[in-house]
Amino acid sequence: AQKITQTQPGMFVQEKEAVTLDCTYDTSDPSYGLFWYKQPSSGEMIFLIYQGSYDQQNATEGRYSLNFQKARKSANLVISASQLGDSAMYFCAMREARMDSNYQLIWGAGTKLIIKP
Amino acid sequence: DAGVIQSPRHEVTEMGQEVTLRCKPISGHDYLFWYRQTMMRGLELLIYFNNNVPIDDSGMPEDRFSAKMPNASFSTLKIQPSEPRDSAVYFCASSFLRPDTQYFGPGTRLTVL
């Protein structure tokens, strides 16, 4: 079974609108971390935001926020006031804390976001 | 502050040749990761080091792949002999204390003809 599911292969959004990128996860580990990375067409992977499973507040970093709904196992990325430079692939990833996970990040398939002017 | 540095950025080689990819992690980071990204398989973790010691190399596809980290500021990923199916983007990433918030280098795009 998929541990990280990103159901939106691609999205088109008008500039300045808010964007929500979906991510659901599956784990039985009570301690885990969730990450979002951005990969623009230039290819680099840029860390955006992190949410720990025990964090009480939703993580925020500038225009990025993570809508963490633990009971639903959902960790959606919200980008406020989208900009043309937000066009990129976005990856959701999870790390489980159990010893046999070897700290590997489990990656989703990604969502390609295109911001229209 | 300098991020993770990888070289070369692009490599084109012929099947059977040896390829060496290089990585300089962020200063002070004690975890280093090598990934491979392809359209078909997405991002795959090949190997990771903690304090220069290989911890998990279960993702290394074959004996043709080897990785070393002789010191805290340098790592190499070697493919010998290279094959066309090794064509991919290879990323190096590093992190500090916790192995999960990883910072990636720009990647090396490898093409094996």
Side-chain angles (χ1 to χ4, degrees):
Chain A
Q2 291 284 339
K3 289 218 166 191
I4 295 285
T5 303
Q6 295 181 253
T7 57
Q8 308 148 310
M11 286 184 72
F12 286 89
V13 172
Q14 200 67 40
E15 188 181 9
K16 299 181 185 175
E17 289 183 354
V19 180
T20 297
L21 303 180
D22 296 340
C23 174
T24 57
Y25 58 92
D26 182 26
T27 181
S28 56
D29 193 332
S31 178
Y32 52 89
L34 296 156
F35 305 81
W36 278 92
Y37 284 82
K38 171 185 178 181
Q39 187 173 37
S41 57
S42 51
E44 69 267 35
M45 292 286 285
I46 303 167
F47 167 70
L48 294 178
I49 196 166
Y50 165 81
Q51 179 86 43
S53 59
Y54 293 120
D55 292 344
Q56 296 296 314
Q57 305 277 354
N58 284 349
T60 61
E61 289 286 349
R63 293 187 300 114
Y64 303 108
S65 61
L66 203 152
N67 184 3
F68 183 45
Q69 298 186 46
K70 197 170 182 177
R72 299 178 65 179
K73 295 189 175 178
S74 166
N76 297 340
L77 177 70
V78 180
I79 307 174
S80 63
S82 59
Q83 302 171 357
L84 296 178
D86 294 331
S87 295
M89 282 289 287
Y90 288 81
F91 292 94
C92 180
M94 175 178 69
R95 181 191 61 80
E96 294 169 308
R98 67 180 197 274
M99 290 302 291
D100 65 352
S101 75
N102 277 328
Y103 298 110
Q104 287 198 36
L105 287 181
I106 304 163
W107 295 85
T111 295
K112 187 173 179 64
L113 175 65
I114 297 174
I115 306 298
K116 298 182 293 183
Chain B
D1 290 339
V4 176
I5 299 171
Q6 291 187 248
S7 64
R9 293 294 307 276
H10 302 272
E11 177 82 28
V12 180
T13 190
E14 293 190 347
M15 184 172 65
Q17 296 297 307
E18 178 179 296
V19 175
T20 299
L21 311 181
R22 296 172 176 80
C23 175
K24 177 178 169 57
I26 295 171
S27 178
H29 281 195
D30 53 355
Y31 284 87
L32 184 138
F33 306 81
W34 282 101
Y35 287 90
R36 178 172 68 177
Q37 186 180 36
T38 62
M39 288 295 292
M40 291 297 294
R41 301 173 69 93
L43 258 173
E44 302 173 277
L45 177 66
L46 301 177
I47 185 172
Y48 79 92
F49 296 82
N50 178 217
N51 291 321
N52 313 338
V53 176
I55 302 300
D56 184 2
D57 65 354
S58 59
M60 296 286 262
E62 298 169 36
D63 292 345
R64 298 184 296 107
F65 287 69
S66 63
K68 293 182 180 179
M69 192 165 185
N71 57 62
S73 58
F74 184 66
S75 177
T76 59
L77 178 69
K78 187 176 291 187
I79 308 172
Q80 166 63 20
S82 58
E83 297 183 3
R85 59 194 169 119
D86 301 331
S87 297
V89 179
Y90 290 81
F91 287 103
C92 175
S94 70
S95 67
F96 175 62
L97 284 184
R98 293 192 311 182
D100 43 21
T101 306
Q102 298 172 22
Y103 296 89
F104 282 70
T108 295
R109 184 172 295 276
L110 174 64
T111 303
V112 183
L113 303 173

